Amino acid sequence: MPDKSPARALTILGIETSCDETAAAIVRGTAPGPGAILSNIVASQIGAHAPYGGVVPEIASRAHLEILDSVIERAIAEAGIGAHAIDGVAATAGPGLIGGVMVGLTTAKGVALGLGKPLIGVNHLMGHALTARLTEGTEFPFLLLLVSGGHCQLLGVGGLDDFRLYGTTIDDAVGEAFDKVAKLLGLPYPGGPQVERLGAAGNPRAFDLPRPLVTGHNVRKTADFSFSGLKTAVRQLTERQPGATEDVCASFQAAVIDILTDRTQRAMGLFERDFPEARVRKLVVAGGVAANRAIGTALAALCARADYGLAVPLPALCTDNAAMIAWAGLEKLAAGSADSLDLSPRARWPLASAF
Ligand code: KG4
Ligand code: ZN
């Protein structure tokens, strides 16, 4: 008789150190989710990098090294489990700032060895990509809009080993554009939340800013993005007309919203071509920029028009965290994938080869 017993729930320690957050979390569950987040500790280094207007890699790796052990101890203590209850140790193995990734991965190897449990190297982007499974058990396939400080991609996700790239940025990532515009306006890092806050009080039609690569202007077959022309236009505008900060933020965000919705709509066509059998069509938004409420509202309207469901994780699970790394590790381990202790960190690691 076939085994119908449900898969055993796994408890995974996750570690994230690829950028400027030192994070550890304990997650328990079975694929496809939802899972339980037993603890989720994020120690932000924003204060250490703020004077420089961006992340300084050397400062980041030193800060990870100093606090990671205590962050892991807190994650285990807050989860209220003994270390023996951990079934595997997952850590971001890339892509990201290599010094930080090395600190997290090396520490994870030590913990895995000490506990006698498997090590699972996780692709940071896969962590973002699978967050909607952790939070609401979203089934494959789904269309993914990944918008963070380092990435801007549209992908069809058919499974853990099936990521199809429909579009990527040909210059800046969207979060990077938010951060650069904030810097031009003299706002602190990270810029996204600042631009959103000030833009809410401004007029989105005050300035007519470019929308590069949007259908009608430049008819490309892919769903690629471009933000550098928009950023340059904002720079010229602020030089010509200093002081209109709220209107500049609102107009910039309106242009970003038009670009993201136009490209997502195009990717929906590619997704439907690739997955014609999908029973429910769903758009998942992930990465730090998904925390932006105006972008979320615009994508919700697009999904309503196109008959798609929409999953946007809570802001704390959109920005970098270790719960998403623990969950991706859980899914990999449940699918029989673990790594040896000589696994190397990777500064670059495309999602297409993440499993
Ligand atoms: O995913 P994440 O935490 O780190 C990366 O892996 O990059 O994303 C950080 C990015 C930053 O560029 C930040 O400015 C942006 O996400 N961000 C936002 C908002 N919150 C964070 N962008 C727009 N609106 C927001 N509310
Ligand atoms: Zn990220």
Side-chain angles (χ1 to χ4, degrees):
M1 240 174 65
D3 182 8
K4 289 263 175 60
S5 60
R8 183 175 76 86
L10 294 172
T11 303
I12 304 292
L13 165 65
I15 296 172
E16 157 61 35
T17 55
S18 68
C19 193
D20 59 346
E21 326 275 4
T22 311
I26 306 276
V27 163
R28 177 178 291 161
T30 51
I37 300 174
L38 304 185
S39 64
N40 189 18
I41 312 294
V42 181
S44 174
Q45 304 174 2
I46 282 174
H49 299 286
Y52 307 95
V55 178
V56 183
E58 292 77 11
I59 295 179
S61 27
R62 178 171 294 267
H64 289 308
L65 197 57
E66 280 167 4
I67 59 167
L68 181 57
D69 285 354
S70 66
V71 169
I72 293 172
E73 279 166 20
R74 269 182 64 199
I76 296 174
E78 274 192 24
I81 58 164
H84 59 272
I86 294 171
D87 295 304
V89 181
T92 301
L97 300 174
I98 196 72
V101 176
M102 251 180 221
V103 171
L105 188 57
T106 307
T107 305
K109 288 176 183 177
V111 178
L113 191 65
L115 294 175
K117 300 291 179 178
L119 169 77
I120 313 115
V122 169
N123 180 303
H124 179 86
L125 304 176
M126 191 188 250
H128 281 303
L130 301 182
T131 301
R133 288 167 63 80
L134 163 63
T135 55
E136 50 188 88
T138 300
E139 302 268 2
F140 297 126
F142 54 83
L143 177 64
L144 173 68
L145 172 64
L146 181 58
V147 277
S148 73
H151 299 273
C152 189
Q153 300 183 346
L154 276 157
L155 301 126
V157 186
L160 293 179
D161 59 352
D162 182 7
F163 289 87
R164 305 173 193 210
L165 187 64
Y166 298 144
T168 187
T169 179
I170 59 171
D171 40 58
D172 295 344
V174 59
E176 195 181 349
F178 269 98
D179 295 335
K180 286 179 176 171
V181 163
K183 202 170 175 179
L184 284 172
L185 295 169
L187 302 170
Y189 175 86
Q194 306 286 338
V195 172
E196 178 177 13
R197 186 175 54 81
L198 290 166
N203 174 7
R205 282 179 292 279
F207 303 107
D208 186 19
L209 295 168
R211 278 111 167 108
L213 298 192
V214 166
T215 310
H217 294 271
N218 180 341
V219 187
R220 283 197 168 209
K221 289 222 168 48
T222 67
D224 281 345
F225 302 87
S226 168
F227 293 100
S228 77
L230 173 59
K231 176 197 64 195
T232 305
V234 171
R235 195 185 64 238
Q236 290 163 346
L237 176 63
T238 52
E239 283 164 5
R240 233 180 20 246
Q241 218 168 320
T245 302
E246 290 170 347
D247 284 347
V248 173
C249 289
S251 301
F252 165 76
Q253 194 169 272
V256 169
I257 286 172
D258 283 353
I259 296 169
L260 292 180
T261 49
D262 176 88
R263 304 287 81 194
T264 304
Q265 189 170 8
R266 175 163 291 235
M268 284 172 167
L270 301 172
F271 176 77
E272 288 155 27
R273 177 201 66 193
D274 278 358
F275 300 100
E277 76 291 356
R279 274 183 300 114
V280 282
R281 299 184 299 192
K282 191 145 193 178
L283 173 68
V284 171
V285 192
V289 181
N292 184 297
R293 271 148 301 184
I295 292 174
T297 304
L299 291 171
L302 169 64
C303 285
R305 287 198 303 277
D307 194 21
Y308 271 64
L310 175 67
V312 187
L314 289 171
L317 294 172
C318 287
T319 50
D320 287 349
N321 65 86
M324 69 179 190
I325 301 304
W327 177 261
L330 183 152
E331 291 223 42
K332 284 184 83 170
L333 188 61
S337 170
D339 291 289
S340 72
L341 291 178
D342 59 10
L343 178 70
S344 299
R346 300 172 67 168
R348 302 179 66 82
W349 186 6
L351 255 176
S353 60
F355 187 68

